[in-house]
Amino acid sequence: MTDVRGPEAGPLTAVFRRRESFRKPGRGPRVVDLGDRDRVRAPHDPAVAEHVRLHQAFLGRVVDYLVADAGVRQFVDWGCPVPGTAERVRRADPEATVVHIAPEGAAGILASPDGSAVLSGDGACSETLLRRLHTSGLVDLDEPVAVLMTRPFGEDSPPTGLDTLHRLMRGGGYLALTSTAPRADVEPAFDPFLLLEPGVADLTWWPYPDEDVAAQGSGVLAGLGRAPRRGGGTTRWR
C-alpha cells in the first residue's frame, strides 16, 4: 500500500486545511454538473443530515489530496450520493474538469442548464460507457483521472467493471469507494486498484486508520485506490 499521509505519496497537505463550508462559487466554464442536483436542500432528518455532512467532508478530503498532492485535474462523479462534489473540486482547482454520470434512464450526452455535458449511465463501469467518456472528449484516459464512486455498496452488491476501468486508465488514476459491507469484503472490492494507506477506514476520519481514532464512527467504510500510469499513447479499446 501507499501511505497518503506519508512522504512516499507526498504529505496530505490539503486534507485538513480548512473546515468544509460548501459555499457555492461561480461556475467555471469547463465544469460539467447536473444543475439542480447540486442545489438539493439539506435533509430535515438530523441523522440523514449528519450522514450527508460526513460524506461531503470525506469527499472534500479526497479531492484536496488528489488535487494538491497527486496532481489530478480530471474527476468523474459516478453516483456520489450527496450534493456539492463539483463545487468542492472547483474550490480546490477552478480549472479541474468534472464529469457527472447521470442517473440511469437518461439518454445520450445531456445538456445541463449551463450548457455543459452530462453523460448518462448507471453504477456499472461498462467498457461502453468508459469508451463514451473518452471518445466524447469529456475525459482523457491518457492523463490521470479520479473516479468518485462513493454511493455505499453492500455486502451483496460489490462494484463491477473495475478491472476494465483499471485497464483503460493508461494515464493512471484513482478510485474512491465507500461501503456498508464488512472490512473483509471491502478491501478486495478495490482489486485491481492498489489501496492507499490506511487501507479502508471509517469515512468519518479517513485517511487516519480506525485504530488511531477513539471517536464513534459512521459505520461506513471508505478508501482510495490507485492505478499506476502505464505510459503515453492513444488509449486502445481491446
Side-chain angles (χ1 to χ4, degrees):
M1 293 184 184
T2 302
D3 191 343
V4 299
R5 297 162 294 125
E8 293 184 4
L12 203 55
T13 55
V15 163
F16 296 114
R17 64 185 178 192
R18 58 176 174 267
R19 301 289 293 178
E20 319 294 347
S21 63
F22 299 99
R23 177 177 56 84
K24 191 167 184 69
R27 294 187 182 277
R30 296 180 57 205
V31 175
V32 180
D33 70 28
L34 288 177
D36 289 341
R37 195 195 76 163
D38 280 354
R39 287 183 284 277
V40 177
R41 290 185 177 88
H44 296 295
D45 185 331
V48 175
E50 178 65 2
H51 172 75
V52 168
R53 185 189 69 80
L54 293 175
H55 202 120
Q56 287 174 323
F58 163 71
L59 285 171
R61 296 192 297 274
V62 169
V63 167
D64 280 347
Y65 165 69
L66 292 175
V67 169
D69 297 301
V72 175
R73 298 294 179 265
Q74 301 181 103
F75 290 82
V76 178
D77 173 356
W78 205 315
C80 293
V82 297
T85 303
E87 286 87 344
R88 196 65 180 83
V89 172
R90 283 197 291 266
R91 285 173 55 190
D93 181 359
E95 296 301 313
T97 298
V98 181
V99 178
H100 293 279
I101 303 300
E104 185 177 10
I109 299 176
L110 311 176
S112 66
D114 65 1
S116 300
V118 177
L119 196 62
S120 63
D122 55 25
C125 277
S126 70
E127 184 159 347
T128 299
L129 186 52
L130 291 167
R131 180 196 295 267
R132 288 169 58 204
L133 268 174
H134 182 75
T135 60
S136 65
L138 297 177
V139 169
D140 182 357
L141 292 175
D142 291 320
E143 296 295 331
V145 58
V147 175
L148 309 176
M149 192 177 292
T150 64
R151 185 173 299 281
F153 66 87
E155 184 175 358
D156 299 326
S157 57
T160 60
L162 299 188
D163 54 342
T164 301
L165 176 63
H166 185 276
R167 173 169 58 87
L168 297 176
M169 280 182 167
R170 286 177 57 88
Y174 296 83
L175 171 71
L177 297 175
T178 72
S179 178
T180 57
R183 184 182 305 272
D185 295 318
V186 179
E187 291 180 344
F190 278 86
D191 187 64
F193 286 81
L194 174 67
L195 261 173
L196 277 65
E197 291 286 358
V200 297
D202 195 281
L203 67 73
T204 304
W205 48 71
W206 183 95
Y208 296 103
D210 289 344
E211 58 267 24
D212 285 0
V213 183
Q216 181 176 358
S218 66
V220 177
L221 294 175
L224 186 65
R226 180 178 64 85
R229 184 180 181 89
R230 295 191 299 277
T234 302
T235 300
R236 298 183 182 274
W237 302 97
R238 295 183 291 186

